[in-house]
Amino acid sequence: MIAVDKQAAGKARDGVGGRNLDTLAAVVRKAVREQPVWDFHTHLYPATFGTPFSGSAKGADPAGLMLWGVDELLTYHYLVAEVYRVVPARSLPYDAFWRMSKREQADHIWKHLFLERSPISEACRGVLTTLERLGLDPADRDLDGYRRWFAAQDPDAYIDRVMEIANVSRITMTNAVFDDNERQRWLSRPQVADDSRFAGVLRFDPILRDWPAAAKRLTEWGYPAGESLDVKSVESGKRFLRDWIDRVKAIYCAVSLPPEWRYEGEDDQRIGSQVMRRIVLPVFAERDLPFAMMIGSRLRVNPELRDGGDMVGLADVQSVVRLCREFPNNRFFCTMLARENQHELAVAARKFGNLMVFGCWWFVNNPSLIDEITRMRVELLGTSFIPQHSDARVLDQLIYKWDHSRELIANVLVDKYADIAATGWTPSEEEIRRDVRLFFHQNMEDFLGD
Ligand code: RAT
Ligand code: ZN
């Protein structure tokens, strides 16, 4: 907490917005730019998890998890989906695309989404912002020149460089324990994530999305479990979660859930609800760990697009409400994918102090929607939510995701401070910095550490 001294309090009386709204806007934008972000949710990894593009360092690992560089930026699954809008599968069958090398895929996307039409979608614009902030000139339109620049970087040092440009102080990973590639890396090298720049998060979707399939895997891994929840299965499920929470040093645990996901209350006997009630939430309560639920992703509506083939569906906020009420000793982070769910979710957060709303996720991580959602959340929740996470999959994306979001969040804050300044309540610079710190760091830290 930033202390507001007497002098600052005095300044607050004639305040930064009282006489001059331009000054207020400048102070807010500076505070937002200068506040380091603890990124709540990414899919990024340190170089110790291997990288398919080693730049100036030795030893590329084709299945490595640290993604970075211009070819990865261009082949982000958002852009794969977009290129199939303009070069449809009847012209380029999906399997032909997936057989191409990463470089060929990037060439294809560059040609069709950047050169043959203007790159004005948010995901395309993000590549340009990133290049520009790295000191490259998007006006060159010189993909091979950009490639040469990236090839001269050392992946580990590049993490520092990107974090500095994006002003990100800590990156939260998503450690998917049901992903064979990732699981093997943890098992063969327990220190793989000993890097203070990164924090671990245990991600275990199949346990709640498809218990019978998850139980089979648990059994193979030495945690005997059956399709129905007998005592042994419950114990195995709990032991599995505890072991992996310890292994990844999870700061919280997370799942993504489909639009159809429901929790109907204590009499709900469906297997997913029983798993939630008897395995998942008791372990997190015992460990005092919050649980992040990302709700509304309908997976693989077009499986040929792989990661780009998921879409959005309307979810059920009342199921979250029931969990918050029935499990007051658990803490829930929640984000939803459908625009139509955002208002009800923010209202739910007004009712439960154990619910922390976060981020504008995936298909709502677009300027017009970030603006709308952030305004609405401020009006309902004041400063008591986490406005954004990056969801970056490619390290360099931290730069544009945070640049774009900072600008939008600052715009909202300027308007909201101006509204209260009109009453005579003019915030001091210290108060503005305090609020900005809540948004970009403190709310997350406080909710984690309750
Ligand atoms: O936003 C994304 O990149 C999605 O592909 C998902 O990773 C989603 O964020 C998730 O965490 O499931
Ligand atoms: Zn994600």
Side-chain angles (χ1 to χ4, degrees):
M1 179 65 89
I2 297 170
V4 181
D5 61 24
K6 277 205 188 109
Q7 208 190 349
K11 232 166 82 192
R13 277 195 293 277
D14 44 289
V16 290
R19 282 154 303 169
N20 186 342
L21 287 180
D22 289 345
T23 311
L24 169 71
V27 169
V28 172
R29 287 187 211 296
K30 186 161 183 286
V32 168
R33 242 188 351 262
E34 289 179 358
Q35 172 59 51
V37 172
W38 182 351
D39 197 335
F40 179 80
H41 168 65
T42 78
H43 299 266
L44 302 178
Y45 297 85
T48 42
F49 281 81
T51 174
F53 170 56
S54 55
S56 69
K58 285 204 192 83
D61 170 351
L65 296 176
M66 179 194 163
L67 305 184
W68 66 287
V70 70
D71 287 332
E72 295 292 354
L73 283 170
L74 288 170
T75 55
Y76 186 28
H77 68 77
Y78 293 28
L79 291 176
V80 174
E82 286 176 32
V83 82
Y84 266 99
R85 301 275 321 129
V86 298
V87 185
R90 61 181 178 276
S91 308
L92 179 64
Y94 296 109
D95 55 347
F97 177 82
W98 294 117
R99 273 199 312 271
M100 289 176 180
S101 67
K102 177 116 326 190
R103 194 185 171 100
E104 289 165 345
Q105 291 171 352
D107 284 337
H108 174 73
I109 290 173
W110 180 251
K111 174 171 186 282
H112 292 283
L113 291 183
F114 289 75
L115 300 181
E116 294 198 349
R117 44 188 57 71
S118 294
I120 54 177
S121 76
E122 175 63 6
C124 284
R125 173 189 168 220
V127 176
L128 305 182
T129 303
T130 305
L131 294 174
E132 194 261 333
R133 295 275 275 116
L134 284 167
L136 300 163
D137 189 354
D140 290 348
R141 303 185 182 193
D142 175 13
L143 181 52
D144 284 332
Y146 306 143
R147 282 180 172 137
R148 279 193 294 279
W149 183 88
F150 282 97
Q153 311 303 317
D154 170 84
D156 188 59
Y158 188 64
I159 295 174
D160 286 333
R161 183 168 188 160
V162 168
M163 289 177 78
E164 196 184 317
I165 295 172
N167 199 10
V168 167
S169 55
R170 200 148 189 232
I171 297 171
T172 312
M173 297 183 280
T174 296
N175 302 113
V177 59
F178 284 83
D179 178 271
D180 291 335
N181 181 0
E182 175 159 1
R183 199 181 56 262
Q184 280 316 322
R185 289 173 195 267
W186 286 101
L187 291 173
S188 58
R189 202 176 149 203
Q191 286 79 31
V192 69
D194 282 357
D195 184 325
S196 60
R197 296 171 295 186
F198 292 80
V201 163
L202 183 65
R203 174 84 173 244
F204 59 93
D205 296 6
I207 287 191
L208 282 172
R209 279 189 179 251
D210 185 358
W211 170 258
K216 277 203 192 95
R217 309 286 333 254
L218 259 58
T219 305
E220 284 162 30
W221 299 335
Y223 301 87
E227 288 202 4
S228 65
L229 275 198
D230 53 14
V231 176
K232 186 181 77 184
S233 302
V234 170
E235 276 321 306
S236 288
K238 286 180 158 179
R239 186 162 58 83
F240 174 76
L241 288 178
R242 289 186 193 113
D243 287 354
W244 277 92
I245 286 168
D246 292 341
R247 186 167 284 122
V248 310
K249 300 192 181 77
I251 59 168
Y252 66 85
C253 299
V255 289
S256 133
L257 293 166
E260 296 75 21
W261 172 77
R262 295 288 180 276
Y263 181 74
E264 301 292 356
E266 54 195 20
D267 297 329
D268 186 346
Q269 294 307 320
R270 287 166 314 143
I271 190 74
S273 301
Q274 286 196 52
V275 171
M276 180 76 92
R277 203 166 40 231
R278 296 176 59 197
I279 299 178
V280 170
L281 295 181
V283 170
F284 301 158
E286 151 202 319
R287 292 299 181 94
D288 199 20
L289 277 185
F291 180 36
M293 297 186 294
M294 310 172 66
I295 313 176
S297 53
R298 185 166 283 130
L299 302 184
R300 302 300 193 255
V301 298
N302 181 354
E304 306 273 22
L305 284 173
R306 301 191 183 172
D307 285 342
D310 304 346
M311 79 170 281
V312 54
L314 196 63
D316 181 48
V317 176
Q318 290 311 310
S319 291
V320 176
V321 165
R322 288 185 200 106
L323 285 180
C324 292
R325 189 175 55 224
E326 206 179 303
F327 297 91
N329 295 328
N330 284 88
R331 301 193 299 287
F332 300 90
F333 289 109
C334 189
T335 197
M336 287 190 169
L337 201 47
R339 178 189 188 187
E340 296 77 3
N341 281 133
Q342 303 303 330
H343 178 246
E344 191 180 354
L345 181 63
V347 174
R350 291 175 65 89
K351 310 298 151 192
F352 295 97
N354 60 343
L355 176 58
M356 176 61 80
V357 173
F358 74 92
C360 298
W361 179 27
W362 201 346
F363 306 113
V364 289
N365 189 0
N366 286 314
S368 60
L369 297 175
I370 297 171
D371 182 76
E372 168 187 303
I373 293 166
T374 307
R375 271 173 211 280
M376 179 272 294
R377 286 176 174 167
V378 170
E379 286 156 13
L380 284 169
L381 301 170
T383 59
S384 70
F385 65 99
I386 299 170
Q388 192 55 306
H389 64 270
S390 76
D391 233 313
R393 282 178 175 260
V394 180
L395 175 70
D396 329 47
Q397 289 170 341
L398 287 176
I399 296 173
Y400 92 79
K401 300 248 188 188
W402 282 111
D403 252 40
H404 295 185
S405 289
R406 278 184 208 267
E407 189 185 330
L408 294 156
I409 293 165
N411 289 343
V412 174
L413 282 176
V414 170
D415 290 350
K416 296 303 168 193
Y417 288 130
D419 288 348
I420 60 169
T423 73
W425 184 288
T426 46
S428 69
E429 183 168 347
E430 287 75 4
E431 288 168 335
I432 290 169
R433 286 187 179 276
R434 173 203 58 197
D435 297 344
V436 170
R437 182 173 160 77
L438 286 169
F439 269 175
F440 289 110
H441 184 106
Q442 196 73 41
N443 285 340
M444 174 176 174
E445 184 173 318
D446 289 349
F447 203 77
L448 286 172
D450 252 3

